[in-house]
């Protein structure tokens, strides 16, 4: 059956979160002299470690950082606020992001974002990539009151787009929340390979570069 819609995860799928985070943390380090008693690379390494690929929220990260490096002159709340408003300025998309989406859209494929996370923060990052005009729907867990791997969030996206599960592809990097969960809801799934997760992932498609999706979705 032909694919009529593609749903995308955000972090680690469209947004190169690791590169974006490194860019932001380097910039924040430079802007706060209080950090500079700690060598930059040591500070960056500890931040990335505590962040755990985004699965630890930044209030905890900043509290631990300030404690680890005995920085008393800054509050974690101020740093968190800086992160919430500044991260979008460092968002980096994966290679071939725009060309892939533009090609899918030009071929009549409906597009939606289905992301876990805080609503406004994730939406700001999504918009920062410059791809939002190409999307028909955006579902972010905080705003929807549902989180992946709950099948209900996938089914809600299908309803909004007016498509069936079997004619929809979900694209993500997380083996459980994205791949297993979307397949359990009846969708096809494409796994964007990630060094963060094992390679033992059952998916309909496994790919490294976003441009590879085009040949799978659009059958000449």
């Amino acid at each position: 059956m032909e694919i009529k819609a593609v749903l995308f995860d955000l972090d680690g799928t469209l947004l190169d979160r690791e590169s974006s985070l490194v860019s932001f943390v380097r910039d924040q380090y430079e802007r706060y002299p209080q950090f500079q008693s700690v060598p930059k690379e040591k500070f960056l390494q500890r931040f990335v470690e505590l962040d755990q690929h985004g699965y630890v929220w930044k209030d905890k990260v900043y509290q631990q950082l300030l404690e680890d490096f005995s920085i008393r002159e800054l509050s974690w709340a101020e740093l968190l606020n800086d992160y919430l408003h500044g991260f979008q300025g460092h968002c980096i998309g994966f290679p071939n992001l725009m060309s892939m989406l533009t090609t899918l859209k030009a071929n009549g494929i409906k597009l939606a974002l289905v992301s876990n996370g805080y609503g406004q923060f994730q939406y700001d990052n999504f918009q920062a990539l410059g791809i939002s005009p190409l999307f028909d729907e955006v579902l972010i867990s905080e705003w929807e009151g549902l989180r992946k791997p709950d099948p209900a969030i996938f089914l809600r996206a299908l309803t909004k787009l007016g498509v069936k599960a079997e004619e929809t592809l979900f694209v993500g990097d997380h083996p459980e929340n994205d791949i297993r969960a979307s397949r359990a809801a009846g969708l096809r799934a494409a796994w964007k390979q990630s060094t963060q997760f094992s390679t033992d992932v059952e998916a309909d498609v496994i790919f490294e570069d976003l441009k590879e999706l085009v040949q799978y979705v659009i059958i000449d």
Side-chain angles (χ1 to χ4, degrees):
M1 183 177 285
E2 71 172 302
I3 293 170
K4 294 184 178 176
V6 182
L7 313 182
F8 292 95
D9 167 56
L10 181 60
D11 295 345
T13 302
L14 302 178
L15 173 72
D16 184 345
R17 191 184 171 281
E18 304 300 312
S19 298
S20 303
L21 184 69
V22 167
S23 173
F24 171 78
V25 174
R26 287 184 186 281
D27 177 64
Q28 190 179 52
Y29 177 93
E30 295 293 345
R31 289 185 290 105
Y32 282 89
Q34 298 92 331
F35 288 147
Q36 290 161 26
S37 58
V38 183
K40 186 194 283 188
E41 292 309 309
K42 185 178 180 183
F43 181 85
L44 175 63
Q45 184 183 356
R46 185 60 178 144
F47 193 112
V48 170
E49 222 172 68
L50 292 168
D51 175 72
Q52 290 182 30
H53 302 286
Y55 291 99
V56 175
W57 187 234
K58 288 336 135 271
D59 56 351
K60 300 284 187 290
V61 172
Y62 283 119
Q63 286 169 51
Q64 192 62 51
L65 271 176
L66 294 178
E67 187 177 316
D68 286 357
F69 296 126
S70 303
I71 297 168
R72 307 272 178 256
E73 313 91 314
L74 289 172
S75 75
W76 66 263
E78 178 189 346
L79 296 169
L80 176 62
N81 189 59
D82 184 67
Y83 172 81
L84 288 172
H85 294 95
F87 186 83
Q88 62 191 277
H90 295 268
C91 288
I92 300 164
F94 280 107
N96 301 306
L97 170 62
M98 185 60 82
S99 60
M100 177 273 295
L101 292 172
T102 305
T103 303
L104 295 185
K105 197 72 181 166
N107 281 270
I109 305 295
K110 292 182 178 180
L111 305 177
L113 183 80
V114 181
S115 172
N116 284 351
Y118 291 100
Q120 195 61 52
F121 179 72
Q122 289 295 80
Y123 190 69
D124 288 344
N125 297 342
F126 170 61
Q127 284 200 305
L129 293 175
I131 58 176
S132 58
L134 296 167
F135 280 70
D136 301 286
E137 296 290 343
V138 174
L139 291 84
I140 301 173
S141 63
E142 184 191 19
W143 288 348
E144 299 299 324
L146 294 166
R147 284 180 68 80
K148 297 177 295 183
D150 188 335
I153 196 165
F154 300 104
L155 300 178
R156 184 175 292 178
L158 298 179
T159 301
K160 285 175 176 282
L161 291 175
V163 293
K164 296 173 184 169
E166 60 269 24
E167 57 193 18
T168 304
L169 178 71
F170 190 89
V171 183
D173 69 309
H174 196 290
E176 292 291 333
N177 295 347
D178 294 329
I179 306 308
R180 191 165 289 139
S182 60
R183 293 185 98 200
L187 289 75
R188 285 182 257 184
W191 181 52
K192 187 176 191 308
Q193 285 182 301
S194 165
T195 53
Q196 184 186 340
F197 302 111
S198 78
T199 52
D200 187 23
V201 177
E202 282 189 31
D204 298 275
V205 195
I206 294 175
F207 69 97
E208 289 183 25
D209 191 301
L210 289 171
K211 68 183 176 187
E212 296 170 56
L213 283 173
V214 173
Q215 61 203 37
Y216 179 77
V217 175
I218 299 163
I219 312 295
D220 291 331

